[in-house]
Amino acid sequence: KKFIETINCNVSNVLKCLESKDLETLMLLSNDLTAEQSSELTNFWIVQDSSAYSPVLPYNPLQQLTRGNFKKVPLIIGNTKDDGGLFLLTDPRLKIGFEENNTEILMSALGLATGNVKEEEKRIVDIMKRFYLSEGSVDDNEKNLIEIATDSWFESCGAEVKKLHGKYAPVFPYVLNE
């Protein structure tokens, strides 16, 4: 909502307003957002809907997988190799967290924390940083930051689905490279 107000759009007709803006203007305006405002634009979550007449997700998907309550059919699952690049481009917290060596900001940008961060969680991210990142600038680590974001947001979820679904039916994982 804050971004919509920043670009002088009327909340009642957001789509029409956004369509009237040129891409360069939107990109420049998005660069002026705070980390929190940017997070609001890039964070998205599965929304369970049990009240609609014909809900798309009437049950929690993770609970359904854990219980084996799904169609036991072969599954093709994967992601695009550099999906995390989206976060590097749109969420300034990733660069800020790296530049300031701030574990809490990195955790938030990677979807690993939404509130108070426990010491054990910080240690896990510190291990991830040592595994993925090297000394040097953000530019030197651009590929590494993309990989950590891809694995955090996409591959870790996919790995869990592969593990749980694979107990009941064949799973065919892929990574799209090109």
Side-chain angles (χ1 to χ4, degrees):
K1 184 175 177 181
K2 291 175 189 171
F3 182 71
I4 298 304
E5 292 168 357
T6 302
I7 61 173
N8 298 318
C9 281
N10 183 328
V11 177
S12 65
N13 201 347
V14 175
L15 181 59
K16 187 174 183 178
C17 181
L18 286 173
E19 289 174 340
S20 71
K21 306 286 182 185
D22 63 283
L23 179 62
E24 290 79 19
T25 300
L26 293 175
M27 293 301 288
L28 287 172
L29 288 168
S30 68
N31 288 337
D32 294 335
L33 297 176
T34 66
E36 182 181 327
Q37 290 168 329
S38 179
S39 171
E40 291 173 7
L41 289 176
T42 58
N43 284 346
F44 48 91
W45 306 101
I46 293 173
V47 177
Q48 182 180 333
D49 179 10
S50 56
S51 61
Y53 175 72
S54 181
V56 174
L57 285 174
Y59 308 105
N60 180 299
L62 183 57
Q63 289 177 354
Q64 296 301 96
L65 278 169
T66 303
R67 295 177 182 150
N69 191 12
F70 58 89
K71 299 284 183 187
K72 278 86 173 172
V73 297
L75 174 68
I76 299 173
I77 184 172
N79 58 288
T80 304
K81 184 175 180 285
D82 294 329
D83 276 342
L86 169 69
F87 296 96
L88 192 59
L89 293 172
T90 61
D91 191 342
R93 295 174 304 161
L94 204 54
K95 289 181 182 179
I96 292 167
F98 177 83
E99 289 170 342
E100 297 178 4
N101 195 27
N102 186 313
T103 299
E104 290 185 29
I105 292 175
L106 267 177
M107 289 180 72
S108 178
L110 295 171
L112 300 174
T114 56
N116 295 336
V117 179
K118 298 175 184 155
E119 284 304 312
E120 182 179 337
E121 295 168 326
K122 285 183 185 179
R123 284 192 296 273
I124 291 169
V125 171
D126 285 337
I127 291 168
M128 291 173 63
K129 285 170 28 182
R130 287 194 305 270
F131 178 80
Y132 284 97
L133 305 176
S134 63
E135 296 294 323
S137 68
V138 169
D139 291 337
D140 295 338
N141 277 278
E142 182 178 71
K143 189 71 180 151
N144 301 337
L145 288 165
I146 289 172
E147 286 179 6
I148 196 172
T150 299
D151 289 352
S152 173
W153 281 102
F154 303 100
E155 184 51 35
S156 61
C157 307
E160 190 67 14
V161 170
K162 292 172 213 170
K163 179 179 83 174
L164 295 170
H165 191 95
K167 293 178 181 178
Y168 302 96
V171 175
F172 303 96
Y174 71 90
V175 174
L176 183 61
N177 288 319
E178 300 282 330

